[in-house]
Amino acid sequence: MSRKLLLPAIFAALAVLAFTKAQQDTVQGDFSFGGGPLPSAITERIRAKSVLPPEAEGNFPGKWINGDDCDNEPPIQVHAYNEDFYILRQSKCEIFEAPFMFLIFGEDTALLMDTGALNTTPVRQIVDGVISDWLAAKGRRSIDLIVAHTHGHFDHVQGDGQFPASPYVVQIVDAAIGEALPFWGLEDYPLDVSTIDLGGRVLDVIGTPGHHPVSVTLYDRRTQILMTGDIVYPGHLFVFSQPQWQDFRKSLRRLTLFAAANPVTWVLGCHIETSEDPFGSFAYGTTVHPNEHRLQFKPTILSTIYDAANSFLASPQCTIFEEFVIHPVYLCGIGWNG
Ligand SMILES: [Zn+2]
Ligand SMILES: [Zn+2]
């Protein structure tokens, strides 16, 4: 290469390096927590990123089972967001927690996130049924099932004991720290972001403590869905101690920055406890949810919740916001509802 060409080439290479570094800094660097407000440009970047089309789209049901028709509600509502991504909701007639679970198919592995709030609900049979229908539709004989968790609270792990009986299961990852974090490959939890490959389908794994000490958020690159467990959902965002409040704020900041750097179509948590009416909130333990909020949030909810949490700095107050509730349980008790 002549000297005339060499210099521009070097500058071009340096520019690419600087750009790449800046991108990485956006995702990784700001994960250390200063506690200050996010620049307003972050919200604009989340909006811009959210319009990048995903490889696979999907749809949500018109209504989730919500406890208003217990004679006819199935124990679990199974909804195909698309042919390879299933959302399951446990019935409020079975147990008021009514958590959502996710079943995601790659080429080699199907990943089930969470097993529900009641060991008597036949979650294993229902999941096996979805898998066997999926195999039939694809003309395949088998796929490996891995059962893992957003976090280890009781309402997300009760069905675990059923899964050794599944003909598909190859691994049930205990939700405890010693097994969950090595499985996810999170060595420097919660600061690093790891990936898990289901076979032609990569999910990013983000450590998000705050609601629970060992909690992960998954990002499915194919649908661009962010699964936030119990740290972000349309409901009571329960935080159980002051140290966890600080973790909660840090995790929200990291999620917000992740969404500014990666396209996110929807943010899906594991419960619904607010209504479609602004500032409408169902108390913990409510068994019927008329006019329930949609499960899905647009990604800008992340900066909205971060800003709300950050406005309290280290001294939160139990507060009902338009679509979610900041709920430090250690200050007002779990049954507080305004
Ligand atoms: Zn929880
Ligand atoms: Zn929960």
Side-chain angles (χ1 to χ4, degrees):
M1 192 180 287
S2 75
R3 180 174 278 185
K4 214 169 164 186
L5 286 173
L6 187 60
L7 269 180
I10 288 173
F11 280 124
L14 283 175
V16 168
L17 268 177
F19 178 75
T20 310
K21 182 77 171 55
Q23 295 277 300
Q24 286 169 347
D25 284 348
T26 307
V27 183
Q28 304 284 357
D30 286 19
F31 281 14
S32 63
F33 184 60
L38 290 164
S40 58
I42 291 284
T43 316
E44 287 312 311
R45 280 180 57 188
I46 294 175
R47 272 205 193 90
K49 285 280 180 189
S50 73
V51 299
L52 297 174
E55 186 184 329
E57 297 187 328
N59 59 71
F60 295 97
K63 178 178 182 274
W64 292 105
I65 52 174
N66 65 349
D68 69 357
D69 187 12
C70 287
D71 289 339
N72 295 304
E73 279 191 10
I76 289 178
Q77 177 180 359
V78 177
H79 174 75
Y81 175 77
N82 64 36
E83 61 182 348
D84 300 315
F85 190 112
Y86 291 80
I87 308 171
L88 287 67
R89 190 197 201 172
Q90 193 160 18
S91 169
K92 289 191 82 67
C93 306
E94 300 257 310
I95 183 160
F96 71 89
E97 293 277 8
F100 289 84
M101 297 159 261
F102 301 93
L103 179 64
I104 306 154
F105 288 89
E107 284 299 312
D108 308 322
T109 305
L111 176 68
L112 175 67
M113 289 301 284
D114 294 349
T115 62
L118 207 59
N119 61 11
T120 50
T121 300
V123 58
R124 195 273 297 171
Q125 285 95 322
I126 290 165
V127 168
D128 280 352
V130 175
I131 294 174
S132 95
D133 289 348
W134 183 89
L135 290 170
K138 303 278 177 181
R140 291 180 49 163
R141 286 211 180 138
S142 194
I143 189 164
D144 290 345
L145 170 65
I146 293 179
V147 178
H149 308 92
T150 57
H151 65 297
H153 275 150
F154 80 96
D155 52 313
H156 301 260
V157 302
Q158 289 302 312
D160 282 20
Q162 301 174 16
F163 278 89
S166 168
Y168 308 110
V169 80
V170 294
Q171 190 175 3
I172 301 164
V173 183
D174 193 274
I177 188 166
E179 200 169 324
L181 296 187
F183 170 75
W184 295 120
L186 292 171
E187 288 169 13
D188 187 19
Y189 177 85
L191 295 180
D192 52 355
V193 176
S194 66
T195 57
I196 177 168
D197 190 348
L198 305 180
R201 180 172 211 157
V202 173
L203 307 180
D204 296 271
V205 187
I206 308 158
T208 44
H211 166 79
H212 185 278
V214 185
S215 167
V216 293
T217 289
L218 293 189
Y219 172 70
D220 173 31
R221 295 183 189 180
R222 189 180 289 179
T223 58
Q224 299 174 357
I225 284 175
L226 198 63
M227 287 157 274
T228 46
D230 278 6
I231 194 160
V232 170
Y233 64 77
H236 290 253
L237 307 179
F238 296 116
V239 178
F240 296 92
S241 72
Q242 177 64 22
Q244 286 184 299
W245 170 254
Q246 300 294 54
D247 289 341
F248 180 74
R249 291 168 64 205
K250 292 178 195 176
S251 290
L252 280 167
R253 184 182 178 92
R254 294 165 64 240
L255 284 175
T256 301
L257 293 170
F258 186 90
N262 298 275
V264 174
T265 48
W266 301 110
V267 175
L268 305 183
C270 284
H271 299 276
I272 300 173
E273 292 149 359
T274 49
S275 81
E276 280 291 325
D277 306 322
F279 304 95
S281 156
F282 301 109
Y284 183 74
T286 306
T287 54
V288 188
H289 279 183
N291 196 25
E292 195 177 61
H293 195 286
R294 283 157 293 173
L295 172 66
Q296 68 273 24
F297 268 140
K298 294 227 167 82
T300 47
I301 195 68
L302 299 169
S303 56
T304 302
I305 298 177
Y306 174 75
D307 285 343
N310 198 51
S311 70
F312 294 117
L313 298 176
S315 306
Q317 290 173 11
C318 297
T319 309
I320 298 175
F321 288 84
E322 190 170 345
E323 295 180 281
F324 58 90
V325 182
I326 296 284
H327 194 148
V329 176
Y330 60 101
L331 295 176
C332 56
I334 200 155
W336 178 88
N337 194 35

